Amino acid sequence: MTLFKELNLDQQILRAVEQMGFTEATPIQEKVIPFVKEGKDLIGQAQTGTGKTAAFGIPLLENIDTEEKVTQGLVLAPTRELANQVAEELNKLGRFKGIEALPIYGGQEIGRQIKALKRRPQIIVATPGRFMDHMRRKTIRPQTLKMIVLDEADEMLSMGFIEDIETILAEVPKERQTLLFSATMPKRLQSVTKNFMKDPEVVAIKSKGLTVSSIEQRYIEVPEKQKLDTLRYLLDIDPPELSIIFGRTKRRVDELSEALSQVGYAVEGIHGDLRQERRDKVLRKFKKGTINILVATDVAARGLDVTGVTHVYNFDLPQDSESYVHRIGRTGRAGEKGVAFTFVTPREMEHLKDIEATTKSKMKRQSLPTYAEAMAGRYQQAIDQLRETVRKGGYEDLDEAAKGLLDEYGAETLVAAALKMATKEPDDKNIKLTEEASLRPKKSSFRGKSGNNKGNKGRGRNNKFSFDKQGRKGGRDRKARR
DNA sequence: AAAAAAC
């Protein structure tokens, strides 16, 4: 165990770190900080929730020359939310050194961004698309950059940003420091490290599997039609303080959040089709605890750092094991405990086994929660609520009414009725989700007259002309491979 | 096949 005090940090940075409440460095911070301070290129292979941002952020800030009024550092991130979050943390860490980290991403008014860029922030945290846009407009001059960080590089790869990243890397000075962080190291990423990094140090934080042990992983085999009830039962039996529910499509997220809010849960949905303002607002409400349930597509799976998420629900099984790892990694952060439930339809059981195999972890099977258990949970919540109300006091003006009611009904009846009143509505509302979100196409799905289905039967996964990770066929890239 | 990301 290493203390930040022992890491030879700049006084101003150390002060910020301590003010943020950190005294001990996490394993990845302990290893990464010295290398980066020396100016070395580095590949960091670490799972989420390990303190990665500070691991590259602290030395990045240290290496910034505040005398020079130019942009010196660039962090590229896969999603807008992540860019925002990283910038926020860098601003906190760099506060006393007087460093500004500016988030730059799409969906924001470009004029305002250009104005902000004129302040010459020392660090830019960007999503690739908008950064490229600024490069073309010459509102960002990549020539002044000295340090580049590729955060969640495997995600940027699987989202198809890899060519953008290569374009950007080709534009920045050769004399620079490049850091790459990634949970996994697919081949295509290795070629980036080979072409654009100089003799990088590799720092891997060892762990048995890809998942964090503080997360309890369970799965429930549940038919598509019973998913919504099952979810509601789970939420009532073991109410989460803060939870994220992942759905497979944007439409699905809309429907699910609508359905849950109709039956009284404090919930909002978030996905990429919402306007950026809306996305930011929902996230703020979730972080503040105004809502305790966030229904999301995989937009929220990556890097999103909200402390105190106690439960993650995979309402729909994730597409691949990487998505699974990222999703459940939203809980159990910073060593806290978390539970991840995964819903699996009977026909998806095989896919679940694949995920277990790749992540080298075992999910515990759990049987379907029952209506009776859910009701017991709802009553328990009502009891807690009543206790809390008694504890808080401030109901003296009801004394007279209380006396009258007592004469009329007697104590037991009244308390029971009060509890009943505070109990969440039972399932009288008939809410349904229109979309089925099973991974394999439905048998009945009408595919036109190609008749290909027959010919493909039984081959599936073993087909050697399969797609690569990005889902592209070989040779169809815009640029030829080098 | 879906999601994310630039206008």
Side-chain angles (χ1 to χ4, degrees):
Chain A
M1 161 195 108
T2 307
L3 299 174
F4 280 111
K5 262 191 254 171
E6 301 161 346
L7 281 170
N8 243 332
L9 302 184
D10 187 308
Q11 275 310 310
Q12 291 156 318
I13 306 285
L14 184 62
R15 203 173 132 209
V17 169
E18 283 174 347
Q19 193 164 343
M20 286 165 79
F22 302 118
T23 47
E24 274 175 41
T26 66
I28 187 167
Q29 290 164 349
E30 186 183 320
K31 284 189 177 169
V32 165
I33 291 172
F35 280 134
V36 180
K37 275 179 75 164
E38 281 172 39
K40 284 188 172 147
D41 279 9
L42 179 137
I43 297 172
Q45 199 159 5
Q47 57 206 30
T48 67
T50 49
K52 193 176 40 145
T53 308
F56 68 73
I58 289 171
L60 182 73
L61 291 159
E62 294 232 330
N63 292 352
I64 295 280
D65 180 358
T66 41
E67 299 289 297
E68 238 182 298
K69 263 318 229 179
V70 291
T71 302
Q72 301 161 49
L74 167 67
V75 181
L76 290 173
T79 68
R80 297 168 180 179
E81 277 75 12
L82 185 58
N84 232 347
Q85 199 178 274
V86 170
E88 212 173 284
E89 186 156 352
L90 293 183
N91 277 319
K92 275 190 204 154
L93 288 167
R95 182 166 40 181
F96 297 120
K97 199 176 167 184
I99 292 176
E100 182 188 3
L102 181 70
I104 287 286
Y105 47 78
Q108 279 184 336
E109 212 187 301
I110 193 120
R112 280 172 75 182
Q113 275 182 4
I114 292 171
K115 221 181 200 172
L117 283 165
K118 290 219 170 99
R119 291 198 304 260
R120 299 266 169 253
Q122 291 95 338
I123 299 175
I124 290 174
V125 187
T127 48
R130 187 51 81 86
F131 187 84
M132 296 260 290
D133 195 356
H134 281 290
M135 257 180 15
R136 274 193 220 106
R137 291 166 186 262
K138 309 224 184 284
T139 41
I140 285 179
R141 267 179 281 283
Q143 296 82 0
T144 63
L145 292 170
K146 295 193 293 198
M147 288 167 283
I148 315 284
V149 182
L150 307 175
D151 198 8
E152 307 265 339
D154 49 352
E155 289 314 321
M156 294 202 278
L157 170 72
S158 66
M159 282 158 70
F161 296 150
I162 199 73
E163 282 155 22
D164 290 356
I165 285 165
E166 287 174 329
T167 311
I168 294 167
L169 287 176
E171 292 278 327
V172 296
K174 285 226 163 60
E175 277 303 310
R176 59 143 200 275
Q177 186 177 13
T178 312
L179 314 178
L180 181 145
F181 290 87
S182 192
T184 58
M185 262 301 155
K187 273 216 182 78
R188 186 70 179 79
L189 220 48
Q190 287 170 25
S191 90
V192 173
T193 66
K194 206 173 279 168
N195 292 333
F196 293 98
M197 297 178 80
K198 278 178 308 227
D199 193 20
E201 286 297 333
V202 178
V203 171
I205 295 304
K206 52 171 187 335
S207 74
K208 283 172 277 151
L210 289 162
T211 52
V212 186
S213 57
S214 60
I215 304 172
E216 190 181 329
Q217 302 176 65
R218 302 188 199 167
Y219 77 91
I220 301 178
E221 193 173 341
V222 51
E224 189 63 46
K225 286 194 167 43
Q226 285 177 42
K227 277 186 176 178
L228 185 54
D229 281 337
T230 303
L231 177 64
R232 291 178 58 191
Y233 294 175
L234 288 178
L235 290 171
D236 293 338
I237 292 166
D238 174 23
E241 275 166 49
L242 226 46
S243 71
I244 307 180
I245 301 167
F246 286 103
R248 207 169 84 91
T249 66
K250 294 182 269 208
R251 193 168 141 217
R252 185 102 160 141
V253 164
D254 284 337
E255 287 188 0
L256 187 51
S257 55
E258 177 62 33
L260 288 175
S261 92
Q262 260 190 51
V263 283
Y265 296 92
V267 53
E268 294 270 15
I270 189 166
H271 60 66
D273 270 1
L274 302 177
R275 289 186 25 216
Q276 193 56 43
E277 292 156 43
R278 174 87 193 147
R279 281 166 64 168
D280 294 343
K281 191 176 166 197
V282 169
L283 212 56
R284 269 202 308 275
K285 276 168 95 173
F286 185 59
K287 285 185 180 178
K288 257 191 8 204
T290 317
I291 51 165
N292 72 328
I293 302 174
L294 186 70
V295 185
T297 58
D298 274 336
V299 70
R302 271 103 219 215
L304 200 73
D305 191 21
V306 180
T307 44
V309 175
T310 51
H311 296 64
V312 165
Y313 304 88
N314 288 311
F315 193 76
D316 299 316
L317 196 63
Q319 303 287 334
D320 47 55
S321 29
E322 272 152 61
S323 168
Y324 176 80
V325 171
H326 279 106
R327 283 180 178 190
I328 71 163
R330 295 318 97 208
T331 185
R333 297 180 76 75
E336 282 181 41
K337 272 197 228 157
V339 194
F341 290 95
T342 299
F343 289 1
V344 201
T345 61
R347 56 158 63 146
E348 290 169 341
M349 281 305 291
E350 209 182 311
H351 191 69
L352 183 86
K353 296 273 175 272
D354 287 348
I355 292 177
E356 282 189 317
T358 352
T359 58
K360 297 192 182 70
S361 60
K362 190 105 179 95
M363 293 176 227
K364 210 168 132 198
R365 187 189 172 92
Q366 183 177 319
S367 52
L368 281 170
T370 63
Y371 177 78
E373 288 168 329
M375 278 319 290
R378 287 171 196 175
Y379 287 142
Q380 188 55 52
Q381 284 181 66
I383 292 167
D384 294 344
Q385 216 179 311
L386 189 62
R387 284 221 168 92
E388 181 66 12
T389 311
V390 171
R391 197 187 59 79
K392 274 191 188 152
Y395 36 75
E396 293 75 15
D397 49 340
L398 286 164
D399 279 355
E400 278 306 306
K403 270 183 201 135
L405 283 166
L406 257 177
D407 286 345
E408 210 174 329
Y409 298 107
E412 258 181 54
T413 312
L414 278 176
V415 172
L419 286 173
K420 183 82 189 167
M421 206 167 81
T423 301
K424 220 176 254 154
E425 287 285 307
D427 319 47
D428 49 358
K429 294 194 184 90
N430 197 17
I431 310 164
K432 275 196 189 115
L433 306 174
T434 60
E435 188 183 347
E436 302 225 341
S438 198
L439 278 178
R440 318 219 184 278
K442 281 177 284 178
K443 258 187 250 155
S444 59
S445 74
F446 181 65
R447 300 283 213 135
K449 42 159 87 174
S450 77
N452 256 345
N453 285 344
K454 220 192 278 171
N456 274 336
K457 222 175 222 164
R459 272 201 246 148
R461 298 187 161 250
N462 297 327
N463 188 337
K464 67 172 168 181
F465 302 109
S466 64
F467 291 84
D468 64 11
K469 273 228 167 99
Q470 293 90 356
R472 277 191 222 109
K473 264 182 221 166
R476 274 185 59 185
D477 290 356
R478 254 194 292 135
K479 274 185 214 160
R481 287 224 182 94
R482 312 166 193 233

